[in-house]
Amino acid sequence: MTKRPTFPLMRNNIARADLDAVIEHLRQDDPILTNGPQCAAFEVEWSRWLGVRHSVFVNSGASANLISMALLKLRHPAGGEVIVPPLTWVSDIASVLQNGFTPVFADIDRRTLAMAPRAILSRITPRTRAVFLTHVQGFDGLTDELLAELARRGVPLIEDVCESHGATHNGQRLGSFGWVSNFSFYYAHHMSTIEGGMVCTDDPVAYQQARMLRSHGMVREANDVALRDTWRGENPDLNPDFIFAFPAYNLRNTEIGAIIGRSQLPRLDANVARRTRNLQRFLSRIDARRYQTDFKLDGSSNYAFNLIVNEADPLFVDRLMATMREAGIEFRRGSAGGGNQLRQPYLRGVVPADHHRQFPHTEHVHFYGFYIGNFPDLRDDEIDSICRVVNAA
Ligand SMILES: Cc1ncc(COP(=O)(O)O)c(C=O)c1O
């Protein structure tokens, strides 16, 4: 058996009460297990919490990304450019490619780890179809200037909030600014439904399309009766229950996931507050001469503690990793997505060789950035121990 780390990336993300809620459901005679009323109720409660009109519960954050890009493709079948970060999860870029768009990369701002607003704006061309911004590890990646400029230029914003649940900009929850937004409920995230994700929007057309895209492109999945009737009227030769509007996917989640999500949601705000307190304790205790501490903290909802070495010192970073391993501190080098996506094999031939070198801030995080666990039941004395270890490296 492998030894569990003393300081893991996550602990106890699915509570006894969540499991008991599932057991309660299973005690019924013939309980519904596939996508059903629990999923619908979770979508309503999530939308209310987030402050959007509509949400569609899917089986992962990557699926939420995929649906978002498929929605964009329905509006731009001939493709175009989507501005994306090099520091993100693979599915943010894979979904762009899978839907026939060209990813255009913008380097990050070191204080938020999200794309720098100036870099985004400088990449907008007549072929730009959307900005697909990832809020990295709980930091607010928005600025008023960015929002105003995108609105002025008519470029839709799609927010990936998969690792930033509960973070805010000017007091308003991230994920309620963009045309569409995405969340993940994978295990180590702010909330977990085992696997899971959400696509959120105020746009009634995108909502109906997302419902269909989630489920084979089937018209009967739309819950707008008039829309269903239109499709049925235009296709009289088809069985009304089997009209496939788009070439789509099966990305549905189940009642089990929804029950866990509904049980967790009431705890989310308290958990976010705890994560934020933990972050502040980390930042007050790590050695600011060695590690970055000037993050944008306003509105943040920390996902994991970002340990970013100030100096590009390969020897120090090797020593730091050895020290953390020795102390049982679990870590991921390069931040959540493994660092600079432009170095990954799946982008060879898609972007020019050595393109990654044009993104120095992302390159720095790739080699000198780590994330280590921050979660609601991480104790103060554990944070203090972690800081003592990394300060002594
Ligand atoms: C920013 C971001 N987007 C998308 C995803 C994909 O989410 P999932 O693992 O639920 O597919 C993740 C996962 O960690 C993520 O961090």
Side-chain angles (χ1 to χ4, degrees), residues 57-95:
F57 186 37
V58 291
N59 57 8
S60 73
S63 298
N65 296 156
L66 190 57
I67 286 188
S68 303
M69 284 303 115
L71 287 170
L72 193 66
K73 189 179 181 182
L74 289 177
R75 282 143 189 82
H76 300 284
E81 296 172 354
V82 178
I83 299 175
V84 289
L87 188 72
T88 184
W89 188 252
V90 54
S91 52
D92 290 70
I93 299 162
S95 58

Side-chain angles (χ1 to χ4, degrees), residues 6 43 59 101 104 131 215 230 238 254 290 302 373 375 384:
T6 312
E43 291 169 345
N59 57 8
F101 292 106
V104 172
V131 170
S215 201
T230 304
L238 296 178
T254 69
R290 286 175 169 188
N302 195 239
F375 41 84
D384 297 352

Side-chain angles (χ1 to χ4, degrees), residues 102-123:
T102 305
V104 172
F105 292 85
D107 204 359
I108 58 167
D109 175 334
R110 288 270 298 273
R111 290 188 62 234
T112 64
L113 306 180
M115 286 185 285
R118 290 274 154 82
I120 296 174
L121 296 175
S122 73
R123 277 158 183 75

